[in-house]
Amino acid sequence: AASLADDEADRAAVLLGAASGLWRVSATNGQATHRDDVAAIAERASNSLGDREFAAAFARGSSLSATEALTIARERRRAD
């Protein structure tokens, strides 16, 4: 799988962590529903960041509120 740019990979890892945390507290099964997509995005982000940085970004995301996660999700990628 192709890798992501570091800023995209970090954002993806944070949002995956946020989704995981929100699915856990809401008792929904979103991760199972989107398993293949989640796994593919996680693999690309982890390949780009490395396991340690991916885990740190995922952990940051898992502590976000829904409002904080939506704010990050809505941010547009900065112009190069």
Side-chain angles (χ1 to χ4, degrees), residues 42 47-48 77:
N47 287 343
S48 294
R77 187 173 159 206

Side-chain angles (χ1 to χ4, degrees), residues 4-68:
L4 299 170
D6 285 348
D7 60 333
E8 293 173 328
D10 185 76
R11 184 170 177 259
V14 168
L15 291 173
L16 287 172
S20 178
L22 293 169
W23 286 330
R24 187 175 50 254
V25 298
S26 67
T28 62
N29 201 12
Q31 194 163 1
T33 302
H34 303 287
R35 178 177 331 183
D36 292 340
D37 292 332
V38 169
I41 295 166
E43 179 182 6
R44 290 179 66 194
S46 183
N47 287 343
S48 294
L49 295 172
D51 292 338
R52 186 175 295 165
E53 285 186 49
F54 175 82
F58 189 95
R60 285 195 318 272
S62 67
S63 66
L64 295 176
S65 69
T67 300
E68 292 167 326

